[in-house]
Protein backbone atom coordinates (compact mmCIF):
# COMPACT_ATOMS: atom_id res chain seq x y z
CA UNK A 1 0.00 0.00 0.00
CA UNK A 2 1.27 3.49 -0.84
CA UNK A 3 1.42 6.61 1.24
CA UNK A 4 -1.82 8.36 2.18
CA UNK A 5 -2.61 11.28 -0.11
CA UNK A 6 -3.42 13.69 2.73
CA UNK A 7 -1.91 14.55 6.05
CA UNK A 8 -3.86 13.69 9.19
CA UNK A 9 -6.47 16.02 10.63
CA UNK A 10 -6.44 15.52 14.38
CA UNK A 11 -8.51 17.05 17.17
CA UNK A 12 -9.76 16.30 20.68
CA UNK A 13 -13.42 16.22 21.63
CA UNK A 14 -15.30 15.48 24.85
CA UNK A 15 -18.05 12.88 24.98
CA UNK A 16 -21.48 14.47 25.47
CA UNK A 17 -23.96 12.99 27.97
CA UNK A 18 -26.54 12.42 25.19
CA UNK A 19 -24.03 10.18 23.35
CA UNK A 20 -24.19 7.56 26.11
CA UNK A 21 -26.63 4.68 25.63
CA UNK A 22 -28.44 2.37 28.03
CA UNK A 23 -25.36 0.18 28.36
CA UNK A 24 -23.39 3.07 29.84
CA UNK A 25 -21.03 3.72 26.92
CA UNK A 26 -21.02 5.70 23.68
CA UNK A 27 -23.67 4.30 21.34
CA UNK A 28 -22.38 2.68 18.15
CA UNK A 29 -24.34 5.12 15.94
CA UNK A 30 -22.52 8.01 17.61
CA UNK A 31 -19.17 6.75 16.31
CA UNK A 32 -20.51 6.95 12.77
CA UNK A 33 -21.64 10.52 13.46
CA UNK A 34 -18.14 11.31 14.73
CA UNK A 35 -16.58 9.88 11.55
CA UNK A 36 -18.90 11.91 9.33
CA UNK A 37 -18.15 15.08 11.32
CA UNK A 38 -14.40 14.45 11.00
CA UNK A 39 -14.71 14.04 7.21
CA UNK A 40 -16.74 17.26 6.95
CA UNK A 41 -14.29 19.14 9.15
CA UNK A 42 -11.31 17.95 7.08
CA UNK A 43 -13.03 18.97 3.84
CA UNK A 44 -13.81 22.40 5.29
CA UNK A 45 -10.25 23.09 6.46
CA UNK A 46 -8.83 22.33 3.02
CA UNK A 47 -11.37 24.67 1.38
CA UNK A 48 -14.11 22.32 0.16
CA UNK A 49 -17.14 23.00 2.35
CA UNK A 50 -20.65 21.90 1.45
CA UNK A 51 -21.66 25.32 0.10
CA UNK A 52 -18.78 25.24 -2.40
CA UNK A 53 -19.70 21.72 -3.49
CA UNK A 54 -23.38 22.55 -3.93
CA UNK A 55 -22.48 25.67 -5.92
CA UNK A 56 -20.36 23.60 -8.32
CA UNK A 57 -23.02 20.89 -8.56
CA UNK A 58 -20.69 18.04 -7.63
CA UNK A 59 -19.33 16.45 -4.49
CA UNK A 60 -19.02 13.48 -2.20
CA UNK A 61 -21.53 10.81 -1.22
CA UNK A 62 -20.91 7.73 0.87
CA UNK A 63 -20.79 4.37 -0.87
CA UNK A 64 -19.72 2.28 2.15
CA UNK A 65 -18.72 2.59 5.81
CA UNK A 66 -16.70 0.07 7.81
CA UNK A 67 -16.43 0.62 11.56
CA UNK A 68 -14.48 -1.52 14.01
CA UNK A 69 -15.55 -1.01 17.63
CA UNK A 70 -12.54 -2.03 19.69
CA UNK A 71 -12.99 -0.56 23.18
CA UNK A 72 -15.82 1.35 24.87
CA UNK A 73 -15.72 5.11 25.26
CA UNK A 74 -17.38 6.04 28.54
CA UNK A 75 -19.17 8.98 30.16
CA UNK A 76 -16.73 11.75 31.01
CA UNK A 77 -14.16 10.53 28.46
CA UNK A 78 -12.59 12.64 25.76
CA UNK A 79 -11.19 11.23 22.56
CA UNK A 80 -8.66 12.10 19.89
CA UNK A 81 -10.06 11.86 16.37
CA UNK A 82 -7.65 11.29 13.50
CA UNK A 83 -8.70 11.20 9.84
CA UNK A 84 -6.95 11.25 6.50
CA UNK A 85 -7.49 10.39 2.84
CA UNK A 86 -5.78 7.11 2.06
CA UNK A 87 -6.47 6.84 -1.68
CA UNK A 88 -8.09 8.71 -4.54
CA UNK A 89 -9.08 7.00 -7.77
CA UNK A 90 -10.92 8.39 -10.77
CA UNK A 91 -14.29 8.91 -9.01
CA UNK A 92 -13.78 7.44 -5.53
CA UNK A 93 -11.70 7.96 -2.45
CA UNK A 94 -11.05 6.02 0.73
CA UNK A 95 -10.92 7.95 4.01
CA UNK A 96 -9.59 6.40 7.21
CA UNK A 97 -10.36 7.23 10.83
CA UNK A 98 -8.99 6.42 14.27
CA UNK A 99 -10.59 7.27 17.62
CA UNK A 100 -8.30 7.10 20.67
CA UNK A 101 -9.47 7.35 24.28
CA UNK A 102 -7.57 10.12 26.01
CA UNK A 103 -7.88 8.35 29.37
CA UNK A 104 -5.37 5.66 28.36
CA UNK A 105 -4.37 6.51 24.76
CA UNK A 106 -5.80 3.23 23.43
CA UNK A 107 -7.47 2.86 20.05
CA UNK A 108 -11.21 2.60 20.72
CA UNK A 109 -12.50 2.62 17.14
CA UNK A 110 -11.17 2.56 13.61
CA UNK A 111 -13.04 2.99 10.40
CA UNK A 112 -12.98 3.69 6.74
CA UNK A 113 -15.40 5.20 4.28
CA UNK A 114 -15.52 4.77 0.54
CA UNK A 115 -16.63 8.13 -0.88
CA UNK A 116 -17.77 8.61 -4.47
CA UNK A 117 -17.63 11.93 -6.31
CA UNK A 118 -20.93 12.50 -8.12
CA UNK A 119 -22.74 15.04 -10.23
CA UNK A 120 -25.56 16.18 -7.92
CA UNK A 121 -28.04 16.69 -10.79
CA UNK A 122 -27.60 13.30 -12.45
CA UNK A 123 -26.54 11.30 -9.38
CA UNK A 124 -23.87 9.65 -11.52
CA UNK A 125 -20.18 9.30 -10.63
CA UNK A 126 -17.88 11.96 -12.05
CA UNK A 127 -14.10 12.39 -12.09
CA UNK A 128 -12.75 13.95 -8.90
CA UNK A 129 -11.48 17.39 -9.93
CA UNK A 130 -7.70 17.73 -9.83
CA UNK A 131 -8.11 20.85 -7.64
CA UNK A 132 -9.81 18.77 -4.92
CA UNK A 133 -6.98 16.22 -4.87
CA UNK A 134 -4.38 19.01 -4.91
CA UNK A 135 -5.98 20.86 -2.00
CA UNK A 136 -6.05 17.72 0.16
CA UNK A 137 -2.51 16.77 -0.86
CA UNK A 138 -1.07 20.26 -0.29
CA UNK A 139 -2.85 20.98 3.02
CA UNK A 140 -0.81 20.98 6.22
CA UNK A 141 -2.30 21.10 9.70
CA UNK A 142 -1.57 24.10 11.89
CA UNK A 143 1.34 23.47 14.28
CA UNK A 144 0.26 22.22 17.70
CA UNK A 145 0.54 24.74 20.54
Amino acid sequence: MGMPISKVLEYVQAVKPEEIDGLGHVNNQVYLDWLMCAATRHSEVVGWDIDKLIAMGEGWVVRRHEVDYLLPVLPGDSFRMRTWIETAERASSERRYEVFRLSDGRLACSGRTLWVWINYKTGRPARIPAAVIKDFTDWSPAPAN
Side-chain angles (χ1 to χ4, degrees):
M1 182 183 312
M3 295 286 296
I5 71 157
S6 82
K7 294 175 188 75
V8 174
L9 173 73
E10 193 168 324
Y11 59 91
V12 171
Q13 185 171 313
V15 172
K16 299 175 187 129
E18 62 270 20
E19 294 174 326
I20 304 301
D21 66 16
L23 298 176
H25 56 70
V26 171
N27 183 274
N28 62 333
Q29 178 61 44
V30 171
Y31 289 89
L32 188 55
D33 294 341
W34 290 349
L35 304 186
M36 294 296 294
C37 287
T40 299
R41 189 169 177 170
H42 194 191
S43 231
E44 289 171 350
V45 300
V46 303
W48 290 93
D49 65 23
I50 190 65
D51 292 335
K52 184 173 182 178
L53 298 174
I54 289 171
M56 72 183 287
E58 293 184 347
W60 301 109
V61 294
V62 171
R63 169 76 46 90
R64 178 178 53 249
H65 289 296
E66 283 182 32
V67 183
D68 293 316
Y69 304 99
L70 306 170
L71 295 168
V73 177
L74 303 171
D77 276 348
S78 291
F79 63 91
R80 178 175 311 282
M81 170 62 75
R82 300 180 79 242
T83 187
W84 64 95
I85 307 242
E86 186 70 23
T87 63
E89 312 280 325
R90 178 184 163 97
S92 65
S93 177
E94 182 180 294
R95 174 179 287 282
R96 301 272 180 103
Y97 314 86
E98 295 174 332
V99 177
F100 291 89
R101 296 188 304 205
L102 284 190
S103 59
D104 59 8
R106 294 179 66 193
L107 182 64
C109 174
S110 65
R112 64 170 116 195
T113 302
L114 179 62
W115 293 89
V116 177
W117 188 268
I118 67 163
N119 178 296
Y120 288 147
K121 281 193 178 17
T122 67
R124 298 188 50 83
R127 181 180 293 277
I128 302 169
V132 173
I133 303 298
K134 182 177 185 336
D135 288 345
F136 275 100
T137 303
D138 291 351
W139 173 78
S140 289
N145 295 335

